[in-house]
Amino acid sequence: GESLGNTASEAVALLGLTSAPKDASFYPSWSHGGAMRYYDRSMAHGQWSPEAGPPYVKHITMWADPSCVDHAGPANNVRRILGLRTSFGNHNWNTDNYMTDMNSVQLRFLSRNTNSVLVIPPFHQFPSLSTRAMAMLNDYVLVGGNTLLVVGGPTGILFINQYMAGTDGYGYGLEPKWVEGPYEMQDAAMGSAFQYGAVTLPAVETYNVGVTTASLPKEAISYYEASEVSVVFSLPCEAGRIIYVGYTYSEMVPAWTDIMLLALRSSPE
């Protein structure tokens, strides 16, 4: 009996596992110590604990890797428009509304969510995603009926091209292009949340970057264009969708603020 117990312990050790009870320190800091709202939209609240299992993720989560996203720059304006709060006292972006690392357990929890929104704000350093993280990110969009809301300029377009597989699995070849505004609402906006936006969106210096309409896949829906360049469009992806808003939000502009909020309304509640 004793030798069998020792053998089992050795096997557990070889597998890198532990049979010891896991306390809160075993789990990443984002996953404990805060109130988590149940996603079923009931008013039930609960304190997450290792015994209770993984947290319920929020309806809106924003990618916020500090090595890639400037927390004091345009991304902060995006955060304010979305109404995402920072932590009390030190104002860090470390609540469960933020995901600082895509190569993390947190993305696994998020990929199982439904009818939620993951926001990719303007960023200056391109993230490095593992193959597994890319698979979970695509599952998030394709399977769960979720929305990937990409905000900004060329980096956001390249993010879609590099990491998103699309419905056919072959990815996208979106061509970034700047064109002088204003940008006119298209007929396709009728019947969508974007019909409540401004008839024309202003160009804000060179902070607006869209894609050539010729590079959009046939299933794409373009909501605002100028000179065959779309600055607001969606890419249906089986159960979910990718929405691109081609403004960096370096300045708060009311018409573009409305577009951000309408993009949220375009996503299932």
Side-chain angles (χ1 to χ4, degrees):
E2 184 177 348
S3 61
L4 186 61
N6 290 339
T7 303
S9 299
E10 290 168 5
V12 167
L14 284 171
L15 290 171
L17 305 174
T18 175
S19 56
K22 299 177 179 63
D23 59 16
S25 63
F26 178 85
Y27 295 85
S29 59
W30 61 264
S31 63
H32 57 80
M36 299 288 180
R37 183 167 184 252
Y38 284 85
Y39 184 68
D40 65 7
R41 292 187 172 272
S42 71
M43 295 309 294
H45 286 68
Q47 190 80 6
W48 186 85
S49 68
E51 294 74 29
Y56 289 84
V57 294
K58 295 290 189 180
H59 179 59
I60 301 174
T61 303
M62 189 163 93
W63 174 57
D65 184 342
S67 65
C68 302
V69 178
D70 182 2
H71 291 190
N76 193 45
N77 285 337
V78 172
R79 177 194 67 77
R80 291 166 59 198
I81 294 169
L82 295 173
L84 303 182
R85 296 183 178 183
T86 54
S87 59
F88 181 75
N90 56 19
H91 301 293
N92 288 332
W93 296 23
N94 59 3
T95 70
D96 53 317
N97 272 125
Y98 303 97
M99 179 172 64
T100 56
D101 185 2
M102 289 196 186
N103 301 299
S104 67
V105 176
Q106 191 174 4
L107 180 58
R108 175 156 54 89
F109 291 144
L110 191 65
S111 68
R112 298 172 182 169
N113 203 11
T114 58
N115 301 330
S116 68
V117 183
L118 174 60
V119 181
I120 307 297
F123 58 90
H124 56 83
Q125 180 69 36
F126 214 80
S128 176
L129 269 66
S130 66
T131 303
R132 185 162 182 259
M134 286 176 59
M136 289 190 292
L137 186 62
N138 279 280
D139 278 350
Y140 173 80
V141 176
L142 293 166
V143 179
N146 299 295
T147 299
L148 184 72
L149 175 55
V150 181
V151 183
T155 52
I157 296 166
L158 292 174
F159 183 95
I160 296 172
N161 285 345
Q162 182 157 334
Y163 293 133
M164 304 312 296
T167 301
D168 61 7
Y170 289 100
Y172 300 99
L174 305 174
E175 297 177 6
K177 187 173 183 180
W178 175 87
V179 66
E180 188 175 3
Y183 310 103
E184 301 175 2
M185 181 188 290
Q186 302 298 296
D187 291 343
M190 295 298 105
S192 76
F194 291 107
Q195 71 179 339
Y196 301 107
V199 174
T200 60
L201 295 174
V204 186
E205 298 183 19
T206 57
Y207 298 133
N208 301 103
V209 176
V211 304
T212 61
T213 53
S215 70
L216 287 170
K218 63 179 183 300
E219 71 271 14
I221 306 169
S222 177
Y223 301 110
Y224 283 89
E225 295 179 13
S227 303
E228 298 183 342
V229 171
S230 176
V231 293
V232 182
F233 60 84
S234 66
L235 303 169
C237 301
E238 294 188 10
R241 69 212 54 77
I242 300 168
I243 297 178
Y244 174 78
V245 176
Y247 177 47
T248 63
Y249 291 87
S250 296
E251 302 173 17
M252 289 289 207
V253 178
W256 281 102
T257 298
D258 289 346
I259 289 298
M260 173 82 72
L261 298 174
L262 292 172
L264 296 182
R265 289 181 59 182
S266 298
S267 306
E269 290 294 328

